[in-house]
């Protein structure tokens, strides 16, 4: 692992690419699984007047939603919480006469509250004046949200930094309870994340994520035995119209957002396979959705059907073996193993690695032993 030297020279923020779009866009980040009950949300429906002139949807809504800031309205549009005629749109969409606008806002969240510092252990891989690299554990959300008021990575970072926590930057378009957060991984995904400790570092890191120059490699245990040793999945990802908590691939590109995942086999266990996935983009549930799309659902993934037997017999002994592994790793078997980027102060490339967590490693070891004992029969 290469670590950046503690160099105090000023941070050189890279020039903005005017063709790249806004850094505040959340479409380039990994979303959290912030789910809650229906009564936690406020739903509004607006139908544009037949004589409505064509204006941007954010301006149209600002004239009607007096209690919401423009940045919140735009953020809601970007994440699909505001739809027009049941379709997601961009903030610059022009409202047309008769459009049906559906709006879903959290009824009450911790987003506008100060973050409560909490004494939660952190596995800090590296830290300097500009960045902190954390190995996030299973069952930890990155920041507070609906149904998750505390106990998050942000709460733990606030405790760790003490007085310095007040100086953590907030990425443009984010809420105050996301201080220092440049990107996210799902609550039940483990592995490496970077926290920016000042605004220059935040701007520099956000630019790299937006331009896809960050190295992100995940290890995943998937069901099945891929026919090839490596491959690339290209397919737009968007919300499943039948279940808004799930995402799916739109192969014709008629909906969703462009997504690319490169994968390669690390080790085969006949019934399951350990693969490395390299993200070229960073859509919500990207690896989970793309691997399911090519027939290799992540082992243990409760959202996408990986918590049941998808390959092998249904004989009682095999079924009991699989159930034991699902109990050992009761989540999607996905780990952010490698994170590499250009350091915001030194300009040097730094690369960090995190070994597999115990639950995944134990399950992999058991699958290896299980197959080895039966290799003559397979």
């Amino acid at each position: 692992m290469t670590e950046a030297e503690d160099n105090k020279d000023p941070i050189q923020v890279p020039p903005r690419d005017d063709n790249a779009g806004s850094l505040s866009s959340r479409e380039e980040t990994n979303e959290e699984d912030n789910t809650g009950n229906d009564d936690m949300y406020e739903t509004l429906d607006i139908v544009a007047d037949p004589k409505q002139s064509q204006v941007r949807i954010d301006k149209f809504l600002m004239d009607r939603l007096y209690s919401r800031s423009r940045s919140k309205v735009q953020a809601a549009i970007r994440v699909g919480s505001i739809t027009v005629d049941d379709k997601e749109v961009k903030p610059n969409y022009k409202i047309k006469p008769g459009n049906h606008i559906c709006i879903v806002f959290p009824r009450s969240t911790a987003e506008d509250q100060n973050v409560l510092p909490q004494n939660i252990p952190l596995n800090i891989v590296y830290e300097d004046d500009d960045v902190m690299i954390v190995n996030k554990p299973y069952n930890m959300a990155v920041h507070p949200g609906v149904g998750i008021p505390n106990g998050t990575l942000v709460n733990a970072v606030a405790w760790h930094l003490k007085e310095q926590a007040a100086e953590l930057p907030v990425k443009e378009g984010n809420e105050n309870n996301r201080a220092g957060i440049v990107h996210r991984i799902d609550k039940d995904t483990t592995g490496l994340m970077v926290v920016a400790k000042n605004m220059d570092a935040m701007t520099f890191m956000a630019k790299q994520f937006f331009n896809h120059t960050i190295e992100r490699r995940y290890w995943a245990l998937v069901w099945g035995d891929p026919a090839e040793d490596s491959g690339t999945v290209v397919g737009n990802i968007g919300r499943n119209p039948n279940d808004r908590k799930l995402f799916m691939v739109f192969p014709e590109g008629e909906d969703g957002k462009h997504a690319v995942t490169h994968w390669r086999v690390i080790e085969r266990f006949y019934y399951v396979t350990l693969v490395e996935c390299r993200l070229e983009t960073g859509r919500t549930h990207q690896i989970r959705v793309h691997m399911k799309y090519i027939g290799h659902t992540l082992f243990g993934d409760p959202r996408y059907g990986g918590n049941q037997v998808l390959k092998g017999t249904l004989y009682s002994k095999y079924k009991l073996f699989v159930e034991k592994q699902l109990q050992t790793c009761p989540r999607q078997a996905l780990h952010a193993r490698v994170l590499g980027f250009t350091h915001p102060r030194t300009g040097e490339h730094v690369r960090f690695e995190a070994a597999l967590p115990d639950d995944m490693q134990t399950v992999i070891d058991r699958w290896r032993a299980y197959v080895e004992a039966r290799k003559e029969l397979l």
Side-chain angles (χ1 to χ4, degrees):
M1 177 184 74
T2 303
E3 297 182 352
E5 296 179 358
D6 189 11
N7 190 322
K8 299 299 182 181
D9 293 337
I11 293 175
Q12 300 298 315
V13 179
R16 177 179 175 82
D17 180 358
D18 292 333
N19 296 319
S22 170
L23 288 180
S24 64
S25 172
R26 288 171 56 185
E27 68 183 43
E28 302 299 335
T29 62
N30 292 332
E31 302 285 352
E32 282 299 317
D33 292 330
N34 292 333
T35 60
N37 298 324
D38 291 341
D39 59 3
M40 292 182 179
Y41 296 90
E42 175 185 4
T43 303
L44 303 173
D45 288 288
I46 300 174
V47 178
D49 189 87
K51 296 182 180 180
Q52 172 66 47
S53 61
Q54 292 193 17
V55 296
R56 284 175 55 116
I57 186 173
D58 50 0
K59 184 179 186 304
F60 174 85
L61 293 176
M62 283 305 301
D63 292 339
R64 291 159 176 79
L65 303 176
Y66 305 107
S67 63
R68 306 286 179 173
S69 68
R70 184 163 185 165
S71 63
K72 288 185 178 180
V73 169
Q74 290 177 328
I77 295 171
R78 283 193 292 268
V79 299
S81 293
I82 298 177
T83 59
V84 177
D85 298 333
D86 296 325
K87 294 182 179 179
E88 296 181 12
V89 296
K90 295 182 179 180
N92 63 356
Y93 174 82
K94 296 289 184 67
I95 290 292
K96 301 175 180 61
N99 277 160
H100 176 208
I101 302 97
C102 179
I103 309 161
V104 179
F105 279 125
R107 192 177 295 276
S108 176
T109 73
E111 289 186 345
D112 293 322
Q113 301 174 7
N114 292 327
V115 173
L116 174 67
Q118 292 180 292
N119 187 8
I120 303 171
L122 280 176
N123 182 355
I124 299 174
V125 177
Y126 172 78
E127 183 178 8
D128 60 24
D129 290 343
D130 303 301
V131 296
M132 178 192 304
I133 309 300
V134 178
N135 186 3
K136 189 186 81 66
Y138 154 67
N139 198 30
M140 174 184 276
V142 172
H143 60 75
V146 175
I148 309 176
N150 50 50
T152 72
L153 179 68
V154 169
N155 298 105
V157 169
W159 177 277
H160 171 74
L161 294 178
K162 305 299 183 183
E163 291 82 3
Q164 295 178 354
E167 301 175 4
L168 282 176
V170 177
K171 184 181 176 183
E172 181 185 357
N174 277 357
E175 305 294 343
N176 291 335
N177 68 341
R178 300 176 190 179
I181 300 303
V182 187
H183 66 124
R184 293 171 288 178
I185 57 179
D186 292 336
K187 176 183 177 183
D188 291 337
T189 297
T190 57
L192 296 175
M193 289 189 60
V194 58
V195 176
K197 297 175 67 174
N198 55 64
M199 185 52 72
D200 283 347
M202 173 68 76
T203 303
F204 192 98
M205 294 303 304
K207 185 73 172 180
Q208 292 184 72
F209 273 96
F210 190 85
N211 288 336
H212 311 306
T213 58
I214 299 286
E215 180 187 6
R216 289 173 290 172
R217 297 179 186 270
Y218 291 70
W219 279 23
L221 189 66
V222 301
W223 278 105
D225 190 11
E228 306 294 335
D229 289 332
S230 62
T232 297
V233 186
V234 180
N236 283 20
I237 291 178
R239 290 187 184 275
N240 187 323
N242 299 317
D243 188 342
R244 298 288 290 175
K245 294 179 181 179
L246 299 179
F247 288 78
M248 61 180 289
V249 172
F250 293 86
E252 302 301 323
E254 72 277 14
D255 207 343
K257 296 169 182 175
H258 178 66
V260 181
T261 303
H262 306 281
W263 62 270
R264 68 179 182 90
V265 171
I266 301 295
E267 188 173 359
R268 298 176 185 270
F269 307 111
Y270 185 73
Y271 304 99
V272 296
T273 302
L274 180 63
V275 299
E276 178 184 81
C277 295
R278 179 172 62 84
L279 291 178
E280 189 171 308
T281 55
R283 307 305 181 196
T284 308
H285 297 179
Q286 178 170 321
I287 293 174
R288 300 162 70 181
V289 172
H290 268 175
M291 295 309 293
K292 178 180 176 67
Y293 177 67
I294 63 172
H296 298 291
T297 302
L298 265 64
F299 183 83
D301 192 340
R303 285 268 182 108
Y304 295 97
N307 58 345
Q308 55 187 312
V309 177
L310 296 182
K311 181 178 175 61
T313 69
L314 293 178
Y315 291 135
S316 58
K317 287 186 178 181
Y318 175 73
K319 187 176 180 180
L320 287 173
F321 171 80
V322 173
E323 289 177 350
K324 183 176 181 181
Q325 310 323 309
L326 292 172
Q327 291 171 2
T328 300
C329 186
R331 63 180 181 94
Q332 64 268 14
L334 181 63
H335 177 67
R337 193 173 189 276
V338 175
L339 181 63
F341 55 88
T342 300
H343 191 277
R345 187 176 298 275
T346 68
E348 297 179 359
H349 180 76
V350 292
R351 191 174 189 269
F352 304 93
E353 296 186 7
L356 289 173
D358 290 342
D359 59 352
M360 280 187 65
Q361 188 63 62
T362 297
V363 167
I364 289 169
D365 290 344
R366 288 174 180 170
W367 272 111
R368 184 183 295 113
Y370 184 88
V371 172
E372 181 66 22
R374 293 161 179 78
K375 62 182 180 180
E376 294 182 358
L377 303 176
L378 299 177

